[in-house]
C-alpha cells in the first residue's frame, strides 16, 4: 500500500531512520552509518554501512544498503538526519528516492543555514559538485517543530508521515533509535541519558 | 525504587538486555556484545563492549560496561541471552549481580542441556573452571515459555520482571533489541524479517 493510503487509513508506517556515528574530524576514515527500522514505534531491524568521512560515496552506499536488504519491499519511508553523513559526504536525495523507489526525507531540528553550509563546502575538494548535490534536495519545509527536505513524495504528505513517526519529543522514533545505536556502537555508550 | 515495589505498583522497569553478535567459530577474535536499554518497551540507550571468543573475560567486560556507564544508577534489571557470550565465554551470574548491584538473569527459550554443555566445556582450556562458573548460576526456573537462571533477586520476582518486559512474542523486548542490533552491526543486516 502506498503512503497516502496508509496515512489516510491510519495504518502503521514502516520507516527506516538513518544516522551516522561520531567520528574524529580530519581522519578521512570510514564512518559508521546505521539504519534503524521502526514500525508503530517498535524497533524491528537494523542495517549498517560505512561512508568515507568528507567523501562522496554516501548516496551509493545508502542505495546499496537499502536496495540490497530483505527489508526493502516492506519499507514505506526513509528518513535521514540531515543531508550529509560523515561530515560533508552529501546525499543526493532525489537520486536516492529514485533508486530505492521510496519517499525519502532529510529531517532537521533547525532551519539549515545554507550560506554557512555553502562556505564550508567551498573549502573541500569538489566543493561546487557537493553544493549542487545539496541543492538538488530542493526547498526546506516545516512540519511542527521539524524542518525537512524531501524527494519521491509530496512535501505535505512527507510532513504528515514524519510527524506520524514521532512518539516522544520532536524527533521521529526511527531517527532517535538510529542516533542512539550509532553512538553506542562507536563510543561504547549512547549519548543521551536514559 | 527496588524491583518488588516497582512490580507491585505496576511501575515501568528500565531493563538492560545483553546479547552477542554473530562470529566465526575458531577465530579466537573479539566478539561484539551489545546492551540495549529499554523502558516500557521503548529503546532508550545502547552500551557496547567486546569479549574474547571462547575466552574467560565476559564477566569482567560486562561489569566494566555496566558499572562504567551513566545509565547504571537508572537500571532495575539486567537480562542476558543465556549464560555464555562469544561461544563459551561463561558469565559468572552471582559475581555480575554483586558487582553491579542489580538483579541479573540469564534467559533461555529452551531448558538448557547441562550434560551437553559440560561435554563441550570439557574440550576447552580450563574446562572445569568454566563449568564451575556456569554452575554458580544455580537452578533453572521457568516463567511461561521462558527458562531462566538468576542472581541478586528472588526467582519468582525475576520471573515476573522478565515477563513484564515481553511486548511481542516470548522474548523480553530488551533482548530482542540487543539481538537485532548486534546482528545488524556485525553483518550489515539484522537476522529477523521486519
Amino acid at each position: 500500500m502506498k503512503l497516502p493510503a496508509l496515512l489516510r487509513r491510519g495504518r502503521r508506517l514502516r520507516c527506516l531512520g538513518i544516522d551516522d556515528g561520531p567520528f574524529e574530524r580530519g581522519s578521512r576514515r570510514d564512518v559508521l552509518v546505521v539504519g534503524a527500522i521502526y514500525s508503530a514505534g517498535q524497533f524491528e531491524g537494523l542495517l549498517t554501512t560505512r561512508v568515507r568521512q568528507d567523501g562522496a560515496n554516501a548516496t551509493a552506499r545508502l542505495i546499496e544498503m537499502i536496495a540490497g536488504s530483505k527489508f526493502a519491499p516492506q519499507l514505506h519511508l526513509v528518513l535521514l538526519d540531515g543531508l550529509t553523513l560523515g561530515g560533508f559526504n552529501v546525499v543526493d536525495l532525489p537520486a536516492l528516492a529514485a533508486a530505492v523507489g521510496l519517499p525519502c526525507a532529510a529531517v532537521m531540528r533547525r532551519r539549515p543555514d545554507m550560506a554557512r553550509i555553502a562556505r564550508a563546502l567551498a573549502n573541500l575538494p569538489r566543493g561546487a559538485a557537493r553544493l549542487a548535490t545539496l541543492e538538488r534536495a530542493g526547498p526546506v519545509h516545516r512540519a511542527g517543530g521539524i524542518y525537512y527536505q524531501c524527494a519521491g513524495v509530496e512535501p505535505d504528505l512527507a510532513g504528515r508521515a514524519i510527524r506520524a513517526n514521532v512518539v516522544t519529543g520532536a524527533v521521529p522514533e526511527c531517527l532517535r533509535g538510529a542516533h542512539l545505536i550509532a553512538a553506542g556502537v562507536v563510543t561504547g555508550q549512547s549519548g543521551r541519558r536514559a
Side-chain angles (χ1 to χ4, degrees), chain A residues 38-116:
Chain A
Y38 272 74
S39 179
Q42 194 182 30
F43 176 52
E44 292 205 335
L46 191 75
L47 305 176
T48 56
T49 187
R50 289 181 176 272
V51 302
R52 182 57 55 100
Q53 187 189 337
D54 294 339
N57 61 355
T59 311
R61 287 296 176 87
L62 291 187
I63 292 170
E64 279 168 26
M65 180 180 87
I66 299 166
S69 91
K70 64 193 166 193
F71 297 103
Q74 301 160 337
L75 292 174
H76 302 119
L77 179 67
V78 177
L79 298 182
L80 303 170
D81 184 24
L83 273 175
T84 58
L85 294 169
F88 290 104
N89 200 329
V90 184
V91 176
D92 185 331
L93 204 62
L96 178 65
V100 302
L102 286 167
C104 294
V107 173
M108 296 147 287
R109 285 190 241 185
R110 285 188 297 267
R111 185 174 285 280
D113 181 345
M114 285 302 182
R116 187 163 161 268

Side-chain angles (χ1 to χ4, degrees), chain A residues 168-181:
Chain A
T168 52
V171 180
E173 201 60 13
C174 58
L175 285 178
R176 204 180 72 90
H179 176 79
L180 293 173
I181 294 167

Side-chain angles (χ1 to χ4, degrees), chain A residues 140-166:
Chain A
V140 176
H141 307 279
R142 184 178 176 174
I146 294 174
Y147 297 87
Y148 62 98
Q149 292 166 280
C150 59
V153 59
E154 287 301 310
D156 284 357
L157 194 57
R160 285 167 56 204
I162 291 167
R163 297 192 71 181
N165 275 277
V166 175

